[in-house]
Amino acid sequence: MVRDDAKIIRLLKTAGGQIEGIVKMVEDGKYCIDISNQIMAAQAILGRVNKEVLNAHLHSCVLSSIENGSADEKMDEITALLDKLIK
Amino acid sequence: MVRDDAKIIRLLKTAGGQIEGIVKMVEDGKYCIDISNQIMAAQAILGRVNKEVLNAHLHSCVLSSIENGSADEKMDEITALLDKLIK
Amino acid sequence: MVRDDAKIIRLLKTAGGQIEGIVKMVEDGKYCIDISNQIMAAQAILGRVNKEVLNAHLHSCVLSSIENGSADEKMDEITALLDKLIK
Amino acid sequence: MVRDDAKIIRLLKTAGGQIEGIVKMVEDGKYCIDISNQIMAAQAILGRVNKEVLNAHLHSCVLSSIENGSADEKMDEITALLDKLIK
C-alpha cells in the first residue's frame, strides 16, 4: 500500500479552506459555539489525514524496514506516536 | 472577558500556514512520521484556538445570557459540546 | 436536572468489573491487542460517567449558582475543565 | 522487551481502587467537578496501562511476527488501533 498523496493533499486543502472560513466567521463576529464546532470539524479532517498517512506508513515503510533489519527502530517510532495519541 | 479576535485570527493563520507546509512536505515525499507530527501540531494549535473561543464564550455570552433568563439553553449547548469532547 | 447517582454508581461498578477482568486477562497471558481493546472500553465507560456527572452539574449546580450570583466562578471551573478536555 | 505484567497489574489495581473511591464520593454527595477530576485521573491511569501494553506488544509480538512472515496482519491490527485513537 503506497501513500495516496493526491487524496492526502485534497483533504489538507479542505482543512485549509475550513480554517479560512473560520477566520471569516471570527471577523464577522459569528457565535462562539458555531466557531468552536467548525474548529473541531477542521481538527477531525486533520485526524483523517493523519490516519491515512500512518496507515500507508505501517503497510509500506515499516514493512520494507523489516526486510532491512531495522524493524526495532520503526517500533520505537510507533511507540513514540502512541505515546502522543493515547490519553 | 471579551473574545480576543486578533489573537484567535493570528493562531488560525498559523494553523493555516502549517497546513500549507504539510502539503509541501507531502509533495516533496517527506517521511510519514514527520508529516504525522506536523499534522498533530496543527491540530494542537486548533485546540488552543478552541479553548480561547470557548473561554471567552463562557465568561461573556453565557454570563450575559444568565441575565436574560436563557441560562438553561446555554447549559444545553455546553452539554452538547462536552459530549463531543469527552472520550 | 438532578444527578442520577444510581446510574452513575452502576456504570462505575461496570468499569470496576471490567478492570478486574483485564487483570485476569493479563494474568492469563492474553493477547496484548485484546487487552488494549478492553482498556479502551473501560476508559469509554468512565467517559460516559463523566458526561453524566457534568451534564447534571451544568443543569443543577451551575444554574443554582447563577441565582446566588457566583456564576463567574462556575465559568472558571468549566474553563479549567475544557482546558483538560480539548486537545 | 517483555510485557511487564506485574507493573501492569499494579496500575490496573490502582485504577480499580480509584473507581471504588469515586463510588464513595458519589454516595457521599461530593461536588461534581471533584468527581469529574477523579474520573479523568482514572482514565489517565488506564491510558498509562494501555501505553505499557502496546509498547511491549510492538517490541515483542510484532517483532517476532515479522520472523514468521505475518507482519502484514500485525500492521492491520495497529492500523485498527490507530483508527480508534486518532481524533
Side-chain angles (χ1 to χ4, degrees), chain B residues 28-75:
Chain B
D28 292 353
K30 295 292 183 202
Y31 186 50
C32 296
I33 293 286
D34 295 334
I35 291 172
S36 172
N37 279 324
Q38 285 306 304
I39 292 170
M40 291 187 283
Q43 285 181 305
I45 288 188
L46 290 174
R48 279 178 57 198
V49 180
N50 203 11
K51 286 179 190 179
E52 193 75 28
V53 168
L54 291 169
N55 188 5
H57 178 64
L58 290 167
H59 287 89
S60 147
C61 314
V62 175
L63 284 189
S64 64
S65 78
I66 287 162
E67 292 160 27
N68 308 334
S70 60
D72 202 56
E73 190 189 311
K74 295 294 155 192
M75 293 304 127

Side-chain angles (χ1 to χ4, degrees), chain C residues 3 5 9 12 19 26 30-33 35-37 39-40 43 46-47 50 57 74 77 84, chain D residues 3 5 9 12 19 26-27 30-33 35-37 39-40 43 46-47 50 57 74 77 84:
Chain C
R3 199 168 75 191
D5 284 354
I9 289 172
L12 285 168
I19 289 173
V26 176
K30 296 291 185 202
Y31 185 52
C32 297
I33 293 286
I35 292 171
S36 172
N37 278 324
I39 292 169
M40 290 187 283
Q43 285 181 306
L46 291 175
N50 202 12
H57 177 65
K74 296 292 154 192
E77 285 178 354
K84 290 180 196 162
Chain D
R3 199 168 74 191
D5 284 353
I9 289 171
L12 285 168
I19 289 173
V26 175
E27 286 170 348
K30 296 291 184 201
Y31 187 51
C32 296
I33 293 286
I35 292 172
S36 172
N37 278 324
I39 292 169
M40 290 187 284
Q43 285 181 305
L46 291 175
N50 202 11
H57 177 64
K74 296 292 156 194
E77 284 179 354
K84 291 180 196 162

Side-chain angles (χ1 to χ4, degrees), chain D residues 6-16 45 48-49 52:
Chain D
K7 182 179 177 186
I8 288 169
I9 289 171
R10 199 176 60 244
L11 284 168
L12 285 168
K13 290 191 170 166
T14 304
I45 289 189
R48 279 178 58 199
V49 180
E52 193 75 28

Side-chain angles (χ1 to χ4, degrees), chain A residues 22-75:
Chain A
I22 300 168
V23 169
K24 182 129 185 33
M25 288 176 84
V26 175
E27 286 170 348
D28 291 353
K30 296 290 185 204
Y31 186 50
C32 297
I33 293 286
D34 296 333
I35 293 171
S36 172
N37 278 324
Q38 286 306 305
I39 292 169
M40 290 187 284
Q43 285 180 306
I45 289 189
L46 291 175
R48 280 179 57 199
V49 181
N50 203 11
K51 286 178 191 179
E52 194 76 28
V53 169
L54 291 170
N55 188 5
H57 177 64
L58 290 167
H59 287 90
S60 147
C61 314
V62 175
L63 284 189
S64 63
S65 78
I66 287 162
E67 293 160 25
N68 309 334
S70 59
D72 201 57
E73 188 190 314
K74 295 294 156 192
M75 294 305 127

